[in-house]
Amino acid sequence: MSWKAKPALQQPNYPDPARLKSALEALSLLPPLVTWWEAETLKSQLAEAAQGKRFLLQGGDCAERFSDCDATRIANKLKILLQMSLVLTQGLNKPVTRMGRIAGQYAKPRTDDLETRNGVTLPAYRGDLVNRPEFTAADRTPDPSLLLRAYERAALTLNHIRALAQGGFADLHHPEYWDLDFVHHSPWKDDYQQLVHAIGEALRFMENILGVNPAALRTVEFFTCHEGLHLSYEAAQTRQVENGRWYNLSTHFPWIGVRTSDPEGAHTEYFRGIANPIGVKIGPSTTPETLARLLDTLHPDNEPGRLTLIHRCGAARIAGVLPPLIETVRASGKTVAWVADPMHGNTLTSTQGVKTRRFSDILSELEQAMDLHASLGSVLAGVHFELTGDNVTECTGGARGLSDEDLGIAYQSEVDPRLNYEQALEMSLRIARRITRRRYTEAHGEAK
Ligand code: PEP
Ligand code: CO
């Protein structure tokens, strides 16, 4: 509770503190959503990723909506992450850890506390955890009962994910179950289907020739993450466990957003006290001095897998911003898992005034991230995307060449624009292809 003595940014102002207190008390009595040993498994996988022995695929909505707690949407998100991980596993030739921005990604930081429309000023929408997007005083007033609704939605979502991940849905023998309807229309359909075929052949080889037990290939591991923004909500689900340490058991991996990453702030103080594997978003506003203090506070013992740094610099700035940050970590002697978020530094406004991102900027930042880490002797341990398994039109570009004019067709996000299914799959194919090519060149010299 030491975080309460520090300045906490981005917290809602609840008009009725007594109702808030009773919602938080109720929350603190409910069972945890995840277990601490799952969080520890993830930590050990992130330790491997930090050493280049594994890769992290982290992705999902910018903000989940309560209405996203729907069987089809959940299955579609799981499918796109499974498909991308399959592509990456094959291309990178290493195991991939999947982590969804799901089952709890309900709170959003906002630049302004208030929003004015036609002379009326109301609190900004801060995510379904806090209030509702409709522009009325009743909808925008922070409502403590939503904290309990969020916990319940997260539990329902996670329950469905666990059922799907453990059943035949994720069975590698049947990757055809993972197809989304519109994979058939994708310009990348053939690449994907060839890959699925190659995996089928490899499985048959393992089982029939090598005699490997296939049971382990019928289930997949899947972890959850969300921004740990609303501190009293996160704290109400933080428990001391058998090993004597405290864990946030609402998710496997909470992260600190860039706006709340002040080393002296309440978020850093709260995260200091939990033993989960954690992330910190860093970017152009993060100085090497700030990063050094964050490393001292959040990663004092250099525990393997504890700290993931998620850099989100923007395609135009990464070449200047990232190298000094990599150097700061190197100078500290500590190991972190470096993850590239090519989304949040590349947000722009379309010609029609809509928030969007260009596929080419996202890909460019990723490619630069891969090259910068490689040239500085560092390891890119993973990637972080805002994506959805649905056929939205929020980012432009990709193989279908979505334009600014197309954004109106199916723009659903209340906050940041996400890659749609095809764009997300294409992104993973492009990364995999680049890495395969680099591996080939390193082994055999330039391809003819
Ligand atoms: C986010 O991940 O949705 C987000 C708000 O990111 P950042 O803190 O990097 O701006
Ligand atoms: Co976002």
Side-chain angles (χ1 to χ4, degrees):
M1 287 293 166
S2 55
W3 58 267
K4 290 201 164 164
K6 306 258 183 171
L9 299 181
Q10 299 283 343
Q11 304 304 293
N13 296 312
Y14 289 93
D16 187 344
R19 275 188 68 218
L20 174 64
K21 186 160 176 277
S22 74
L24 292 171
E25 275 168 11
L27 200 53
S28 69
L29 300 174
L30 291 167
L33 299 182
V34 304
T35 63
W36 66 269
W37 54 91
E38 288 169 347
E40 285 298 322
T41 301
L42 174 61
K43 202 189 276 174
S44 60
Q45 294 190 6
L46 290 168
E48 291 174 11
Q51 296 182 332
K53 297 185 182 141
R54 178 178 273 281
F55 200 71
L56 171 70
L57 171 65
Q58 195 175 14
D61 297 308
C62 181
E64 266 181 297
R65 304 296 314 276
F66 288 174
S67 56
D68 291 337
C69 185
D70 153 291
T72 309
R73 278 180 202 264
I74 296 170
N76 282 352
K77 261 180 246 174
L78 198 57
K79 281 179 188 173
I80 180 62
L81 288 168
L82 287 171
Q83 287 180 330
M84 291 173 79
S85 70
L86 194 64
V87 171
L88 291 171
T89 305
Q90 217 247 3
L92 276 68
N93 208 11
K94 49 179 97 157
V96 173
T97 294
R98 304 163 201 91
M99 208 197 292
R101 289 174 63 117
I102 199 167
Q105 175 55 18
Y106 295 122
K108 293 313 296 175
R110 301 316 298 251
T111 307
D112 299 310
D113 267 345
L114 299 170
E115 183 181 339
T116 301
R117 289 191 200 172
N118 304 326
V120 180
T121 300
L122 293 173
Y125 171 60
R126 291 188 166 276
D128 283 7
L129 184 70
V130 173
N131 55 6
R132 302 175 187 84
E134 289 74 22
F135 198 72
T136 70
D139 287 315
R140 288 296 178 92
T141 303
D143 175 356
S145 72
L146 297 177
L147 300 172
L148 289 156
R149 299 292 83 77
Y151 164 88
E152 291 156 7
R153 294 276 151 159
L156 293 169
T157 304
L158 190 55
N159 179 58
H160 195 51
I161 292 172
R162 289 191 193 277
L164 291 174
Q166 279 157 30
F169 178 82
D171 189 338
L172 276 176
H173 296 80
H174 297 288
E176 66 275 13
Y177 295 165
W178 304 6
D179 279 5
L180 304 186
D181 288 345
F182 46 101
V183 75
H184 302 296
H185 310 297
S186 167
W188 290 83
K189 172 178 161 230
D190 291 346
D191 291 60
Y192 179 68
Q193 280 178 347
Q194 272 171 24
L195 194 134
V196 164
H197 179 76
I199 289 169
E201 299 276 288
L203 276 178
R204 271 185 291 282
F205 178 76
M206 277 163 60
E207 288 169 17
N208 300 339
I209 314 285
L210 303 181
V212 174
N213 174 1
L217 301 169
R218 296 197 194 281
T219 65
V220 292
E221 246 175 350
F222 192 86
F223 297 97
T224 63
C225 61
H226 65 247
E227 178 171 351
L229 183 67
H230 190 304
L231 287 175
S232 50
Y233 177 77
E234 303 298 330
Q237 298 180 80
T238 301
R239 317 276 159 89
Q240 191 173 24
V241 305
E242 295 85 331
N243 69 6
R245 306 176 80 182
W246 293 80
Y247 288 76
N248 180 334
L249 296 178
S250 71
T251 188
H252 300 113
F253 178 99
W255 79 81
I256 309 183
V258 92
R259 293 169 189 75
T260 48
S261 62
D262 177 354
E264 303 307 322
H267 288 79
T268 304
E269 181 61 17
Y270 164 77
F271 275 74
R272 190 173 70 84
I274 57 171
N276 299 61
I278 60 166
V280 183
K281 292 278 203 100
I282 57 175
S285 61
T286 314
T287 62
E289 297 70 41
T290 307
L291 180 56
R293 273 155 64 210
L294 288 168
L295 288 166
D296 282 346
T297 309
L298 295 172
H299 200 27
D301 307 321
N302 200 18
E303 183 188 358
R306 153 72 172 171
L307 185 63
T308 296
L309 293 178
I310 307 167
H311 51 77
R312 24 89 78 227
C313 306
R317 302 188 67 181
I318 185 168
V321 171
L322 187 59
L325 299 175
I326 292 179
E327 174 52 27
T328 304
V329 173
R330 205 200 50 75
S332 75
K334 292 179 180 163
T335 303
V336 303
W338 289 104
V339 168
D341 165 358
M343 310 299 293
H344 287 88
N346 291 312
T347 314
L348 41 88
T349 305
S350 78
T351 41
Q352 277 89 359
V354 180
K355 213 174 175 189
T356 189
R357 293 166 173 151
R358 288 193 206 110
F359 186 92
S360 55
D361 291 341
I362 298 169
L363 184 61
S364 161
E365 179 162 354
L366 262 186
E367 291 179 346
Q368 292 182 65
M370 292 192 267
D371 292 350
L372 286 165
H373 280 288
S375 69
L376 295 167
S378 166
V379 173
L380 182 65
V383 286
H384 183 120
F385 292 114
E386 285 187 343
L387 54 79
T388 166
D390 299 318
N391 199 4
V392 301
T393 54
E394 298 173 4
C395 293
T396 59
R400 289 238 191 178
L402 282 187
S403 68
D404 276 13
E405 287 70 41
D406 297 325
L407 294 177
I409 300 172
Y411 196 103
Q412 293 173 11
S413 177
E414 286 292 337
V415 271
D416 290 341
R418 301 161 295 178
L419 295 171
N420 64 24
Y421 165 73
E422 283 183 13
Q423 292 168 329
L425 190 61
E426 179 178 349
M427 197 61 78
S428 60
L429 285 160
R430 301 277 282 258
I431 308 171
R433 185 175 283 185
R434 189 180 169 91
I435 291 175
T436 313
R437 203 176 297 143
R438 176 178 297 162
R439 230 196 354 261
Y440 183 89
T441 314
E442 280 166 8
H444 306 288
E446 280 304 327
K448 301 250 161 38

